[in-house]
Amino acid sequence: MRAPVAAALIIGNEVLTAKVEEANGAHLIRRLREHGLPLCSVHVVPDDVDAIVEALALARRRARWVFTSGGIGPTHDDVTVRAVALALGRRVVVLPEMEALLTRAWGKKAPSSEAWRLAEAPEGSRLLHGAQSRFPVLACDDVYLLPGVPELFRAQLELCLAELPGAPVQVRELFLSVGEPEIAHALDAVALALPHVAIGSYPTWGDGAAYRVKLTVEHVDAAVVTAAVERLVRELPEGCVLRLG
Amino acid sequence: MRAPVAAALIIGNEVLTAKVEEANGAHLIRRLREHGLPLCSVHVVPDDVDAIVEALALARRRARWVFTSGGIGPTHDDVTVRAVALALGRRVVVLPEMEALLTRAWGKKAPSSEAWRLAEAPEGSRLLHGAQSRFPVLACDDVYLLPGVPELFRAQLELCLAELPGAPVQVRELFLSVGEPEIAHALDAVALALPHVAIGSYPTWGDGAAYRVKLTVEHVDAAVVTAAVERLVRELPEGCVLRLG
């Protein structure tokens, strides 16, 4: 349980109703890959407390760290703080540190009483500050609550990654001249013999393709990857490897 | 339970490890919106039976119809059929109709014994045939198993939509000159009074923006949308609506 991997929750009706093209998920996937922290799921859910609570509970059974994107704000559709608190079994409280930051930003008078909702957080939350980001990241029980606005999301994600472990993955590719049905037997055998190595098989589609299947071989240890590639080359149908990448 | 909405499962390590930019999720979101079938979640999970079973169980508690993308094929990392069968409490069987199609495509001899895995399906599955698509869609208990290859995914999705209900949504937009803290009170009141209307609030970021917040108002009935927009204009701070869209 709670493997040392990450999961992501993208929160927002606007994504599921095609009003915006979601970009934070793809950015997170790329950055976690570069950082070397495995990602086990990305779940897009609506601005709905029950849906967020259920999705977060599932994510936390699978992953030690969870990133949320969106639903952080003062309006009626911003329910992330409340839902995360509920999923973690914590009360929603006003963070004095956040209140002080907002007071400094607004001067004496807040734009409205609802504006103070921005200082609310699950009890026990901490704030991550960084030189790059105007706003601190809200974190609680290894859940990082990031805003949906892409510029803010990106800046805050870097603050999170700075405190998270990572081991970049080594990848080799094999481009094949035959289709998946022809290689399934050899792939089965190698995948079974090397369960610690991630082997992917990706067929192309259409007549103009330069190869029929691309295999990927991944592990954090380059020597393990090399050995697995050599074994694949031995066991695949003779002459089917067009090139290695 | 089982609301008349859809959910999607995008299956594939290659998506979560940034080896491909996932396109089927975004396409599905757009097409369901155009068709008028609400979508309640999009969940990207790895090629892992347990992860797919758990995600599908959650999706089916929330949604009547579920689309899966990817993991349909003859190699070791194609586990969607097995996982969907497990989640539905059904055995994996060979579909005679699919076997006949493959026999016709391959002639007398299959490329390998593993190639026949393409004829496997959860017991009780049906096939949807269409003029546009070379391959039929596999469907079982309102779960549609679509391939991850984008061209095939798109063609097969159209076959599914042809048998699903839809009521296109009416949307109006309000562009505002003030920020979310200033409008949170009025939005709370209108959202509470009109719980059947979906009202979204989307702030802009940066100094060059032409407006500070975009509100969206949605319902299948245009008259309901118009009434909600009028009510918002009445209750929002005076003069803050720059324009309607």
Short mmCIF file of all heavy atoms in Angstrom, two decimals, chain B residues 39-70:
data_model
loop_
_atom_site.label_atom_id
_atom_site.label_comp_id
_atom_site.label_asym_id
_atom_site.label_seq_id
_atom_site.Cartn_x
_atom_site.Cartn_y
_atom_site.Cartn_z
N LEU B 39 -20.48 14.03 -19.00
CA LEU B 39 -19.33 13.18 -18.69
C LEU B 39 -18.93 13.49 -17.25
O LEU B 39 -18.71 14.65 -16.90
CB LEU B 39 -18.20 13.54 -19.65
CG LEU B 39 -16.87 12.81 -19.49
CD1 LEU B 39 -17.02 11.32 -19.81
CD2 LEU B 39 -15.82 13.44 -20.42
N CYS B 40 -18.85 12.46 -16.40
CA CYS B 40 -18.58 12.75 -14.98
C CYS B 40 -17.15 12.47 -14.56
O CYS B 40 -16.76 12.89 -13.46
CB CYS B 40 -19.57 12.00 -14.09
SG CYS B 40 -19.22 10.25 -13.97
N SER B 41 -16.36 11.78 -15.37
CA SER B 41 -14.94 11.64 -15.01
C SER B 41 -14.14 11.05 -16.17
O SER B 41 -14.68 10.34 -17.02
CB SER B 41 -14.74 10.77 -13.76
OG SER B 41 -14.78 9.41 -14.07
N VAL B 42 -12.86 11.40 -16.18
CA VAL B 42 -11.89 10.79 -17.10
C VAL B 42 -10.73 10.34 -16.23
O VAL B 42 -10.12 11.15 -15.54
CB VAL B 42 -11.39 11.79 -18.16
CG1 VAL B 42 -10.32 11.14 -19.03
CG2 VAL B 42 -12.54 12.29 -19.02
N HIS B 43 -10.45 9.05 -16.24
CA HIS B 43 -9.46 8.49 -15.32
C HIS B 43 -8.37 7.80 -16.13
O HIS B 43 -8.65 6.86 -16.86
CB HIS B 43 -10.18 7.49 -14.41
CG HIS B 43 -9.43 7.17 -13.15
ND1 HIS B 43 -10.00 6.51 -12.10
CD2 HIS B 43 -8.17 7.42 -12.77
CE1 HIS B 43 -9.12 6.37 -11.12
NE2 HIS B 43 -7.99 6.90 -11.51
N VAL B 44 -7.15 8.29 -16.01
CA VAL B 44 -6.01 7.67 -16.71
C VAL B 44 -5.33 6.70 -15.74
O VAL B 44 -4.90 7.11 -14.66
CB VAL B 44 -4.99 8.73 -17.17
CG1 VAL B 44 -3.91 8.06 -18.02
CG2 VAL B 44 -5.66 9.85 -17.93
N VAL B 45 -5.27 5.43 -16.13
CA VAL B 45 -4.69 4.41 -15.24
C VAL B 45 -3.69 3.56 -16.03
O VAL B 45 -3.72 3.52 -17.26
CB VAL B 45 -5.79 3.48 -14.66
CG1 VAL B 45 -6.73 4.26 -13.75
CG2 VAL B 45 -6.57 2.79 -15.75
N PRO B 46 -2.77 2.87 -15.32
CA PRO B 46 -1.76 2.06 -16.02
C PRO B 46 -2.33 0.74 -16.53
O PRO B 46 -3.47 0.37 -16.23
CB PRO B 46 -0.70 1.82 -14.95
CG PRO B 46 -1.38 2.00 -13.64
CD PRO B 46 -2.55 2.92 -13.87
N ASP B 47 -1.51 0.01 -17.30
CA ASP B 47 -1.87 -1.33 -17.80
C ASP B 47 -1.77 -2.32 -16.66
O ASP B 47 -0.90 -3.20 -16.63
CB ASP B 47 -0.88 -1.78 -18.89
CG ASP B 47 -0.79 -0.83 -20.05
OD1 ASP B 47 -1.84 -0.47 -20.59
OD2 ASP B 47 0.34 -0.42 -20.40
N ASP B 48 -2.66 -2.20 -15.69
CA ASP B 48 -2.58 -3.01 -14.48
C ASP B 48 -3.99 -3.46 -14.12
O ASP B 48 -4.89 -2.62 -13.97
CB ASP B 48 -1.97 -2.16 -13.37
CG ASP B 48 -1.98 -2.88 -12.03
OD1 ASP B 48 -1.09 -3.70 -11.80
OD2 ASP B 48 -2.91 -2.62 -11.23
N VAL B 49 -4.18 -4.77 -14.03
CA VAL B 49 -5.54 -5.31 -13.84
C VAL B 49 -6.21 -4.71 -12.60
O VAL B 49 -7.34 -4.24 -12.66
CB VAL B 49 -5.51 -6.85 -13.78
CG1 VAL B 49 -6.87 -7.40 -13.39
CG2 VAL B 49 -5.09 -7.41 -15.13
N ASP B 50 -5.50 -4.73 -11.46
CA ASP B 50 -6.10 -4.22 -10.22
C ASP B 50 -6.53 -2.75 -10.36
O ASP B 50 -7.62 -2.36 -9.93
CB ASP B 50 -5.11 -4.30 -9.06
CG ASP B 50 -4.92 -5.73 -8.59
OD1 ASP B 50 -5.66 -6.61 -9.06
OD2 ASP B 50 -4.03 -5.95 -7.76
N ALA B 51 -5.65 -1.94 -10.95
CA ALA B 51 -5.94 -0.51 -11.09
C ALA B 51 -7.17 -0.30 -11.98
O ALA B 51 -8.03 0.55 -11.71
CB ALA B 51 -4.73 0.23 -11.66
N ILE B 52 -7.28 -1.08 -13.05
CA ILE B 52 -8.41 -0.93 -13.97
C ILE B 52 -9.71 -1.39 -13.29
O ILE B 52 -10.74 -0.73 -13.39
CB ILE B 52 -8.17 -1.74 -15.27
CG1 ILE B 52 -6.92 -1.22 -15.99
CG2 ILE B 52 -9.38 -1.66 -16.20
CD1 ILE B 52 -6.45 -2.12 -17.13
N VAL B 53 -9.64 -2.50 -12.58
CA VAL B 53 -10.83 -3.02 -11.90
C VAL B 53 -11.36 -1.99 -10.90
O VAL B 53 -12.56 -1.67 -10.87
CB VAL B 53 -10.52 -4.36 -11.19
CG1 VAL B 53 -11.66 -4.76 -10.25
CG2 VAL B 53 -10.28 -5.46 -12.22
N GLU B 54 -10.47 -1.42 -10.09
CA GLU B 54 -10.89 -0.43 -9.09
C GLU B 54 -11.46 0.82 -9.75
O GLU B 54 -12.49 1.36 -9.32
CB GLU B 54 -9.70 -0.02 -8.23
CG GLU B 54 -9.54 -0.84 -6.98
CD GLU B 54 -8.68 -0.11 -5.94
OE1 GLU B 54 -7.70 0.56 -6.32
OE2 GLU B 54 -9.00 -0.23 -4.75
N ALA B 55 -10.78 1.29 -10.81
CA ALA B 55 -11.24 2.51 -11.49
C ALA B 55 -12.59 2.28 -12.17
O ALA B 55 -13.46 3.15 -12.17
CB ALA B 55 -10.19 2.97 -12.51
N LEU B 56 -12.77 1.09 -12.73
CA LEU B 56 -14.03 0.80 -13.42
C LEU B 56 -15.18 0.67 -12.41
O LEU B 56 -16.29 1.14 -12.66
CB LEU B 56 -13.90 -0.47 -14.27
CG LEU B 56 -15.10 -0.83 -15.13
CD1 LEU B 56 -15.50 0.32 -16.05
CD2 LEU B 56 -14.82 -2.08 -15.96
N ALA B 57 -14.89 0.06 -11.28
CA ALA B 57 -15.92 -0.07 -10.25
C ALA B 57 -16.38 1.32 -9.79
O ALA B 57 -17.58 1.57 -9.66
CB ALA B 57 -15.38 -0.87 -9.06
N LEU B 58 -15.42 2.22 -9.59
CA LEU B 58 -15.76 3.59 -9.18
C LEU B 58 -16.56 4.28 -10.29
O LEU B 58 -17.60 4.92 -10.03
CB LEU B 58 -14.49 4.38 -8.86
CG LEU B 58 -14.65 5.86 -8.52
CD1 LEU B 58 -15.59 6.05 -7.34
CD2 LEU B 58 -13.29 6.49 -8.20
N ALA B 59 -16.12 4.15 -11.53
CA ALA B 59 -16.80 4.81 -12.65
C ALA B 59 -18.24 4.31 -12.77
O ALA B 59 -19.16 5.09 -13.00
CB ALA B 59 -16.04 4.54 -13.95
N ARG B 60 -18.45 3.01 -12.56
CA ARG B 60 -19.79 2.45 -12.72
C ARG B 60 -20.71 2.77 -11.55
O ARG B 60 -21.93 2.64 -11.67
CB ARG B 60 -19.71 0.93 -12.93
CG ARG B 60 -19.38 0.61 -14.41
CD ARG B 60 -19.07 -0.85 -14.63
NE ARG B 60 -20.09 -1.76 -14.16
CZ ARG B 60 -21.21 -2.08 -14.83
NH1 ARG B 60 -21.44 -1.54 -16.01
NH2 ARG B 60 -22.07 -2.93 -14.34
N ARG B 61 -20.14 3.19 -10.42
CA ARG B 61 -21.01 3.70 -9.35
C ARG B 61 -21.54 5.08 -9.70
O ARG B 61 -22.59 5.50 -9.25
CB ARG B 61 -20.25 3.77 -8.02
CG ARG B 61 -20.07 2.41 -7.34
CD ARG B 61 -19.88 2.55 -5.84
NE ARG B 61 -18.74 3.36 -5.47
CZ ARG B 61 -17.48 2.93 -5.45
NH1 ARG B 61 -17.19 1.70 -5.78
NH2 ARG B 61 -16.51 3.74 -5.08
N ARG B 62 -20.78 5.80 -10.52
CA ARG B 62 -21.12 7.19 -10.83
C ARG B 62 -21.86 7.34 -12.15
O ARG B 62 -22.58 8.31 -12.35
CB ARG B 62 -19.84 8.03 -10.93
CG ARG B 62 -19.04 8.09 -9.66
CD ARG B 62 -19.19 9.45 -9.01
NE ARG B 62 -18.87 9.40 -7.60
CZ ARG B 62 -19.47 10.16 -6.69
NH1 ARG B 62 -20.40 11.02 -7.04
NH2 ARG B 62 -19.14 10.07 -5.44
N ALA B 63 -21.59 6.44 -13.09
CA ALA B 63 -22.04 6.66 -14.48
C ALA B 63 -22.68 5.40 -15.05
O ALA B 63 -22.26 4.29 -14.76
CB ALA B 63 -20.84 7.06 -15.34
N ARG B 64 -23.68 5.60 -15.87
CA ARG B 64 -24.31 4.44 -16.50
C ARG B 64 -23.44 3.86 -17.60
O ARG B 64 -23.36 2.66 -17.76
CB ARG B 64 -25.68 4.89 -17.07
CG ARG B 64 -26.25 3.87 -17.99
CD ARG B 64 -27.71 3.67 -17.89
NE ARG B 64 -28.08 2.65 -18.87
CZ ARG B 64 -29.13 2.69 -19.62
NH1 ARG B 64 -30.00 3.67 -19.48
NH2 ARG B 64 -29.38 1.72 -20.49
N TRP B 65 -22.81 4.75 -18.40
CA TRP B 65 -22.01 4.28 -19.53
C TRP B 65 -20.54 4.57 -19.29
O TRP B 65 -20.18 5.66 -18.83
CB TRP B 65 -22.45 4.98 -20.82
CG TRP B 65 -23.87 4.70 -21.17
CD1 TRP B 65 -24.37 3.53 -21.70
CD2 TRP B 65 -25.00 5.56 -20.99
NE1 TRP B 65 -25.73 3.64 -21.86
CE2 TRP B 65 -26.15 4.86 -21.44
CE3 TRP B 65 -25.16 6.84 -20.49
CZ2 TRP B 65 -27.43 5.42 -21.40
CZ3 TRP B 65 -26.43 7.41 -20.44
CH2 TRP B 65 -27.54 6.69 -20.90
N VAL B 66 -19.68 3.61 -19.59
CA VAL B 66 -18.24 3.82 -19.43
C VAL B 66 -17.54 3.48 -20.75
O VAL B 66 -17.82 2.45 -21.37
CB VAL B 66 -17.67 2.95 -18.30
CG1 VAL B 66 -16.16 3.18 -18.16
CG2 VAL B 66 -18.37 3.23 -16.97
N PHE B 67 -16.65 4.38 -21.17
CA PHE B 67 -15.80 4.13 -22.33
C PHE B 67 -14.40 3.81 -21.82
O PHE B 67 -13.88 4.55 -20.99
CB PHE B 67 -15.72 5.37 -23.23
CG PHE B 67 -17.04 5.80 -23.79
CD1 PHE B 67 -17.83 6.73 -23.14
CD2 PHE B 67 -17.48 5.27 -25.00
CE1 PHE B 67 -19.05 7.12 -23.66
CE2 PHE B 67 -18.70 5.67 -25.53
CZ PHE B 67 -19.50 6.59 -24.86
N THR B 68 -13.78 2.74 -22.35
CA THR B 68 -12.36 2.55 -22.07
C THR B 68 -11.58 2.79 -23.35
O THR B 68 -12.08 2.55 -24.46
CB THR B 68 -12.04 1.14 -21.53
OG1 THR B 68 -12.17 0.17 -22.58
CG2 THR B 68 -12.97 0.76 -20.38
N SER B 69 -10.35 3.27 -23.20
CA SER B 69 -9.45 3.50 -24.34
C SER B 69 -8.15 2.78 -24.07
O SER B 69 -7.50 3.02 -23.06
CB SER B 69 -9.19 5.01 -24.48
OG SER B 69 -8.06 5.25 -25.29
N GLY B 70 -7.78 1.87 -24.96
CA GLY B 70 -6.46 1.24 -24.86
C GLY B 70 -6.45 -0.13 -24.20
O GLY B 70 -7.43 -0.57 -23.61
#
